[in-house]
Amino acid sequence: MPTPPRQQTQNAPRTVSTPATIPTATVSASAAFQQPSIDYPFLLLSLAEDYLAAARGQAYSRASKDQKNNMRQYCKLLATGLACLETVLKKFKVQPQMEANVRLRYASVLYNETENMLEAEQCLSGGIKLCDRYRFFDLKYNMEHLLAQVLFKGSPRAAMKFLDGVIKDAEAYQHTAWIYALRFLKVFLLLQLSSHQDILSSHSQLKNISTLADRTGDKAILAIVSTLEALVHLRQSSSAESIEQAQRAIALARSLQHDRVVGQISQLALLIDIADLSCSLQQFDPTQAVPKMQAMQALLESPRDDWNEDGTFSLPVLSQDSSRAPHGNGIVRKDPMGSVSVRFSWAPWTDLYILGYLLSSMSLAHRNTTDGLRSEQMLKEGLRNLDTWDDAQQQLQGLNDTAAAISPRPEILGLIIQYLDGMVNQGTGHLDTALSIFQRPCLSITGKLFSPAHMDLAILSTLNTILILHPPSHPLHQTLPTLLCSLHPYLTRIQSTKPLLAAYNLILATTPNPDPPTIPRTKQHLQTALQAAKSASNIQLQCITLNFMSFKFFKGLVGEQAEKSVRASENLARKGMDGLWRSVSAGSVGEMLEMAGRMEEAGTVRHTGREIARGLPASVVQWEDAEVDGGGEVVMK
């Protein structure tokens, strides 16, 4: 069911407001002959973004034992970021467009991160007056879009009345794309109220959008309206009549997929598949649900190069005069080719994948006991993906409790639990704890190893220890050559195990032994690592190896080969659904695009990387920031 814009997890997309890029303050002509001065507004805006990004990292930490401290740090960072934005507004005289962008950004943070709706409303009201004075129509629409959501929190009916006035203005000026965006917002706000009258009103709004899209020939808009109409019918009632109306709407949406433009929008195709499967589930018709589930799964498992990590996607508005649409990152945008689109925000890919597990489990529930418990397995897999590190900690505790009840307990089981404990601490950024575990005598490569499994655990512990000690600033960094030499007696075992071989050669390529690696030796080790990782079908090791190859051989270069390398790293990180390496690869792609002069595209990629980093444990983000700031080899975290 489509849900309002404020909710974190959604089954239907919504339009979102994203402030346009904030321009830098300019220096007067007379200053050209003076000593260069500090651009304080620009400095404060940069600091604000850094503080806000750090605050999000704290808020999304998944280490439960640090939650209280993380929340305290989050509030401090958020307040500092907001103070920087407020200082620019109150203490400096900046260009009108810059002021409008800062007001939009400031109000957006207040709305999304605080309960101070009164200040957000006052900020936006002042911004709207400013936009009226200087005829910044697009910025004004973005502010009004956000102001409607701010008003909705305190007085839903006042928000609806305000939104009706904005829609009327957009219709008067024939700003078609904004008419769509504002009416979609009203639909989602009405659905949040959930009364019968509000549901009927949402149908009326969808009908208005459909009529306009049909008249102007905007088939993509017409397709998503039909799909949303089906979801609203399903939400309204599970009666046969509602399901039949939903199926008719889905049939119209599917017929529009034959259009070349509409058929290429994979997010829309997935939304249609989800709505179609939901109809069969509400009908309790497993014979139809299973093939629809398989079609949905095929789409979920297909290449998703056109998916944004934050769940946003754009629908083209072919009827909008491109000369009247702005460039930028707002709701209504114009790409370099001159095409106008409306941006929607749905759910991140990982959330949709979890939703796919849920719907698939429901589709197979009727034959769970005769089908190898596949329905239960899908639910467990979906739960496992909800919070990887938090779940890992819980599962490790459960494993400890279960192992304690086993008598006699196999010695190798205790060693596996200890290694997993170290791995979870390393994965959440608690490196000192992880190091103390990996250096225990029972996991030492120089100790007595009683089985091949014990040998593998000792090799892995040594490799992880090397990764932790890799930064030159670590007090035990000088012990790296000794640790590498300790692995030599076990090369036969390493070479016979492809993942170990890949990890070992990757470490050899990046670690002094005792001298810094030469370029020919580095290339040889990286080629061996990549071939071994491919043979083992280990996406993560392939991703790490390619990231380092891009860093080592293409950093600072611009060209087709450099772009292919960083793009391949990015695609592998996305395929492996690894948040850390998606964040790292996004930074590499952003740097390459900046050097190529593609600043707007670079900004989008870097923003995506920062959004991904929000989901990482806070301590991991701190290590990543430290590595980047220190100019170290970021791939060796």
Side-chain angles (χ1 to χ4, degrees), residues 285-287 289-290 361-371 375:
D285 188 347
T287 57
V290 172
S361 175
M362 294 170 66
S363 302
L364 297 174
H366 67 286
R367 61 187 195 193
N368 183 53
T369 56
T370 60
D371 197 25
S375 178

Side-chain angles (χ1 to χ4, degrees), residues 27-44:
V27 181
S28 65
S30 61
F33 302 99
Q34 301 174 5
Q35 186 71 18
S37 60
I38 299 175
D39 190 345
Y40 285 106
F42 178 74
L43 177 61
L44 285 168

Side-chain angles (χ1 to χ4, degrees), residues 555-572:
K555 183 177 177 61
L557 300 180
V558 177
E560 182 180 356
Q561 192 61 36
E563 182 166 359
K564 284 183 178 179
S565 179
V566 295
R567 291 290 188 187
S569 303
E570 182 185 36
N571 290 335
L572 276 172

Side-chain angles (χ1 to χ4, degrees), residues 304-552:
R304 49 186 187 273
D305 296 335
D306 59 337
W307 282 78
N308 295 324
E309 297 290 347
D310 60 359
T312 59
F313 64 96
S314 297
L315 296 183
V317 181
L318 304 179
S319 61
Q320 173 75 56
D321 181 1
S322 61
S323 65
R324 302 169 67 178
H327 290 283
N329 297 322
I331 301 169
V332 175
R333 58 181 63 192
K334 179 171 63 175
D335 64 25
M337 302 300 293
S339 301
V340 180
S341 61
V342 177
R343 191 172 68 122
F344 288 79
S345 178
W346 193 10
W349 178 260
T350 50
D351 290 355
L352 293 175
Y353 214 77
I354 293 168
L355 177 61
Y357 278 119
L358 174 62
L359 294 176
S360 298
S361 175
M362 294 170 66
S363 302
L364 297 174
H366 67 286
R367 61 187 195 193
N368 183 53
T369 56
T370 60
D371 197 25
L373 303 179
R374 283 185 63 199
S375 178
E376 290 183 30
Q377 292 169 6
M378 288 184 175
L379 282 176
K380 291 176 181 177
E381 185 66 18
L383 289 171
R384 187 184 69 82
N385 281 275
L386 280 174
D387 195 339
T388 307
W389 287 116
D390 186 61
D391 185 67
Q393 291 172 323
Q394 293 178 9
Q395 295 294 338
L396 182 62
Q397 183 59 48
L399 180 59
N400 261 314
D401 295 340
T402 302
I406 299 176
S407 181
R409 186 176 75 174
E411 186 174 357
I412 190 62
L413 179 58
L415 295 174
I416 291 173
I417 291 174
Q418 291 186 67
Y419 173 76
L420 290 175
D421 191 15
M423 186 182 69
V424 170
N425 276 283
Q426 185 178 12
T428 52
H430 300 98
L431 301 187
D432 290 339
T433 303
L435 183 61
S436 67
I437 294 171
F438 292 137
Q439 290 183 327
R440 288 173 181 171
C442 60
L443 293 176
S444 172
I445 196 72
T446 59
K448 184 178 180 180
L449 308 178
F450 58 81
S451 70
H454 190 187
M455 184 186 301
D456 289 345
L457 289 174
I459 293 171
L460 288 169
S461 297
T462 303
L463 294 177
N464 282 314
T465 299
I466 292 172
L467 289 176
I468 295 172
L469 303 183
H470 184 272
S473 59
H474 198 286
L476 298 179
H477 176 76
Q478 71 278 4
T479 64
L480 288 181
T482 303
L483 286 170
L484 286 169
C485 289
S486 69
L487 291 169
H488 288 171
Y490 305 97
L491 288 180
T492 301
R493 178 66 180 176
I494 292 173
Q495 291 168 351
S496 66
T497 310
K498 295 298 183 184
L500 284 178
L501 181 62
Y504 178 67
N505 276 275
L506 179 59
I507 285 176
L508 289 178
T510 58
T511 306
N513 184 29
D515 301 317
T518 62
I519 291 180
R521 186 163 65 88
T522 298
K523 286 185 176 180
Q524 179 183 355
H525 287 313
L526 289 175
Q527 288 173 353
T528 302
L530 191 58
Q531 290 172 358
K534 287 181 177 179
S535 298
S537 298
N538 191 312
I539 298 296
Q540 187 181 41
L541 282 173
Q542 292 180 57
C543 170
I544 297 172
T545 305
L546 278 177
N547 265 287
F548 182 76
M549 291 175 71
S550 300
F551 173 84
K552 188 72 175 178

Side-chain angles (χ1 to χ4, degrees), residues 163-172 179 182-183 186 205:
L163 202 49
D164 285 337
V166 180
I167 293 171
K168 187 176 180 180
D169 290 341
E171 290 174 334
I179 296 172
L182 294 165
R183 286 198 179 276
K186 187 170 183 180
Q205 289 296 320

